[in-house]
Amino acid sequence: MTDSHRELGVEFGDLAAHLDGHEYPATMRELTDAYGDYVVEYSGGSESLRTMLAPFDDTYESASEVRQAVLNAVGQGAVGRKGYTDRGGFAPATDDVSF
């Protein structure tokens, strides 16, 4: 049975409990050896932890640091409709916003 653990549009599932229970500090290699085949899902697709952490040759001090690295790796893939707002329309296309 997969436990749901969603954070900022990313579903960690059972991986969240494994990361929380892991002993830190831990290197990217240690984490991918242990949990690399777990899949993280988001609205734009899914990827294995191994694929997501591959660009980072880091040592992580906590599970929250690992989750943050995953969230950084997902990037815009986890964002729903780009530019969407539930405030009656679409957000401005530029950064020039006046209040």
Side-chain angles (χ1 to χ4, degrees):
M1 177 181 204
T2 300
D3 290 329
S4 178
H5 181 85
R6 182 173 293 277
E7 189 171 331
L8 299 175
V10 176
E11 177 60 54
F12 286 86
D14 292 338
L15 176 59
H18 291 294
L19 293 176
D20 288 342
H22 195 82
E23 189 172 317
Y24 294 92
T27 65
M28 178 274 294
R29 173 67 121 205
E30 291 169 336
L31 292 166
T32 56
D33 284 350
Y35 315 113
D37 293 334
Y38 280 85
V39 174
V40 175
E41 297 179 358
Y42 49 92
S43 65
S46 63
E47 295 180 66
S48 70
L49 182 67
R50 177 174 284 105
T51 301
M52 297 185 93
L53 293 185
F56 310 110
D57 188 20
D58 295 333
T59 297
Y60 300 94
E61 298 297 325
S62 67
S64 62
E65 282 189 12
V66 179
R67 285 192 296 274
Q68 186 60 55
V70 168
L71 293 172
N72 292 342
V74 168
Q76 292 187 358
V79 176
R81 293 182 285 177
K82 197 170 186 176
Y84 173 79
T85 176
D86 62 356
R87 297 181 184 249
F90 287 86
T94 66
D95 290 334
D96 298 330
V97 178
S98 62
F99 293 93

